[in-house]
Amino acid sequence: MPAVPEPSLRPDEIIARAIALRQHLRDHQAKTEARSRYSEETHELFTKAGFFRILQPRKFGGYEFDTETFYRTIIEISRGCPSTGWMLCLGAGHALQVGSSFSEEAQAEIFGPDGHFVAPLSVGNFPGTRPARPVDGGYRLSGKWRYASGVPYSTHFMGLADLEGVDPPDGLLLVTVPRDSYEVLDDWGDLIGLKGSGSNSVVIDDAFIPAHHTAPVARLLGEWPMTTDLLPGAVIHGNPMYTGGFMGFAISELTSVQVGAARAMLDEYEQILASTANVSMSGNSAVKRYEVADYQRSYGMALGWVDAAHATMVRSGQLYMELAATAVKTGRQVSAEDHWRLYGMVQTAARLSWEAGDLLFRTAGSSASLDGQRMQRYWRDLSAFRSNSIHQFDFRSRAVSQAHFGLPVDRL
């Protein structure tokens, strides 16, 4: 089994490491955007800091911290650069799904002898375009998966595949594919924001995937009709976190980046208020903007919204752990209602972050919206977040009610 690099490392120490990298990430924002991913130097800093091992089981070389620690870390990285935070988050977070959903044998093979694991998780394009054909011992897999955020420095790729001859959701598989079995396309960077998030497409051409490196999706998402079986990771690792399911974690990991982006906008806005003279209609420019009531009001409102969003993310990490612990005690998987209520709670944190970002951007002044300015980049990043279909709570809020009242939950 791989050794834990720093067995005595504490959660607060790894969060402090993320904070210490803030200026480095800010200094490299433009270059990160231009290359469509963060640099190899930054990747080495992240690897050395242990960020990829936060949620990885200790048995396989990880720190096995909790989801709260992961969200706090990602918020701080995203405060330095939202694109970088997105790429790190989606490359590091899915150690949780491996530790939760696969057998001990498969985990040992996937995490490998050194325990270094980096893997995006993409749902691909549309059903039928990512076929998994059953063969002896596993499947032959082909297809193209878009938006594989975190893939440029990946050791593995995780995605959804369609089991031939079986309709979804029963026919959906979560697959884990080693780096030598997929191609990373050079096709990222045209979106309005998140240009440096390394969200390239992945192509797989008739790769063999062992059956024990796959898992049925229906029991993982916490959305479709679920089994009552606990995920195997809780027993393997003696830690309830590894039976918490995917749905509650997936929306939270994405939203932690948005809270970090809103924090970054607050930092930039404060710098603008402190360094810019206020020009009144009479031409008087004797005071700085932070001394002007309108700017004070804007900053105060945004600060309150972001503080609330940040607190919600911290609580969502704690609640994920509490729900998982209850599931182990009762012997039943986290319920669909619990997943969806967590989803609604975290979506509210995203909306608060967006409201704060909109207010800060439109009151920061025209010069802050020039190309190359951080405020403009942050606003574009938040705009890219908002266009993601999984973040449309207006579309999905009815699912919270459906789960609560015991009705069939509409699929995504």
Side-chain angles (χ1 to χ4, degrees):
M1 298 296 180
V4 180
E6 299 170 278
S8 61
L9 185 69
R10 303 190 311 269
D12 63 309
E13 292 175 321
I14 207 160
I15 296 168
R17 291 176 180 179
I19 295 171
L21 287 171
R22 186 178 302 156
Q23 193 57 50
H24 166 84
L25 299 176
R26 286 179 175 168
D27 291 344
H28 287 78
Q29 282 179 7
K31 291 181 178 179
T32 294
E33 229 183 32
R35 77 168 65 86
S36 77
R37 62 188 183 281
Y38 61 68
S39 68
E40 292 183 11
E41 174 195 4
T42 297
H43 186 67
E44 288 301 316
L45 291 172
F46 287 172
T47 301
K48 184 177 180 181
F51 297 149
F52 296 105
R53 299 175 186 259
I54 292 174
L55 296 175
Q56 191 164 316
R58 290 184 71 86
K59 179 177 288 189
F60 298 113
Y63 299 123
E64 203 172 310
F65 294 148
D66 53 22
T67 46
E68 178 188 344
T69 300
F70 185 74
Y71 302 155
R72 286 181 180 270
T73 301
I74 296 302
I75 287 171
E76 297 301 339
I77 292 295
S78 302
R79 189 172 179 176
C81 175
S83 276
T84 296
W86 187 271
M87 183 172 167
L88 172 64
C89 178
L90 276 295
H94 304 120
L96 178 62
Q97 275 66 60
V98 176
S100 299
S101 306
F102 295 95
S103 67
E104 186 169 357
E105 176 191 4
Q107 292 187 39
E109 294 169 358
I110 292 168
F111 288 126
D114 63 359
H116 180 58
F117 176 79
V118 182
L121 195 162
S122 171
V123 299
N125 295 329
F126 301 99
T129 65
R130 52 205 178 183
R133 177 168 53 87
V135 296
D136 288 344
Y139 306 91
R140 305 298 306 191
L141 179 65
S142 297
K144 178 180 177 180
W145 288 256
R146 300 178 65 194
Y147 308 119
S149 304
V151 76
Y153 304 115
S154 60
T155 64
H156 294 75
F157 168 74
M158 299 179 70
L160 301 190
D162 303 297
L163 182 59
E164 285 190 351
V166 183
D167 293 332
D170 294 333
L172 279 177
L173 294 176
L174 175 66
V175 299
T176 303
V177 186
R179 182 63 187 86
D180 60 3
S181 295
Y182 57 89
E183 176 188 1
V184 179
L185 302 185
D186 183 14
D187 65 348
W188 183 247
D190 292 337
L191 201 66
I192 186 175
L194 297 177
K195 291 177 177 290
S197 64
S199 300
N200 305 65
S201 297
V202 164
V203 173
I204 298 175
D205 184 15
D206 197 35
F208 174 73
I209 311 299
H212 64 296
H213 287 202
T214 74
V217 168
R219 73 176 187 180
L220 306 180
L221 290 180
E223 176 192 4
W224 292 311
M226 301 167 62
T227 70
T228 57
D229 298 332
L230 295 173
L231 299 177
V235 173
I236 294 170
H237 303 295
N239 185 340
M241 177 172 69
Y242 296 110
T243 199
F246 182 63
M247 190 65 189
F249 174 77
I251 190 63
S252 297
E253 65 171 338
L254 299 177
T255 302
S256 65
V257 184
Q258 301 180 63
V259 174
R263 282 273 181 225
M265 294 188 81
L266 276 171
D267 293 340
E268 187 67 12
Y269 195 83
E270 183 171 354
Q271 190 277 328
I272 291 171
L273 297 192
S275 61
T276 306
N278 187 59
V279 180
S280 68
M281 294 299 291
S282 63
N284 180 11
S285 59
V287 298
K288 298 294 186 182
R289 285 185 177 176
Y290 72 85
E291 301 176 89
V292 178
D294 288 332
Y295 291 106
Q296 293 169 356
R297 187 178 300 110
S298 296
Y299 183 84
M301 289 179 66
L303 181 61
W305 288 338
V306 176
D307 281 347
H310 199 149
T312 299
M313 287 310 308
V314 171
R315 178 59 187 144
S316 76
Q318 297 168 350
L319 185 58
Y320 186 91
M321 300 296 293
E322 292 170 12
L323 292 171
T326 299
V328 170
K329 288 179 182 178
T330 60
R332 297 174 63 87
Q333 201 174 16
V334 178
S335 73
E337 180 181 358
D338 285 335
H339 276 292
W340 279 110
R341 290 184 66 171
L342 182 56
Y343 174 90
M345 172 178 148
V346 174
Q347 285 285 14
T348 302
R351 179 162 293 184
L352 289 171
S353 298
W354 300 340
E355 293 289 346
D358 283 346
L359 177 60
L360 294 171
F361 182 71
R362 66 182 173 81
T363 61
S366 298
S367 60
S369 65
L370 293 170
D371 289 345
Q373 294 298 308
R374 287 176 181 163
M375 185 64 80
Q376 188 227 59
R377 184 176 294 118
Y378 297 148
W379 178 81
R380 287 191 289 103
D381 287 342
L382 275 177
S383 296
F385 289 132
R386 296 184 74 170
S387 69
N388 190 317
S389 61
I390 200 172
H391 294 307
Q392 306 309 315
F393 193 38
D394 292 344
F395 296 172
R396 301 300 295 156
S397 58
R398 69 186 186 282
V400 180
S401 296
Q402 290 168 341
H404 175 72
F405 291 113
L407 301 171
V409 176
D410 295 338
R411 297 178 186 173
L412 285 171

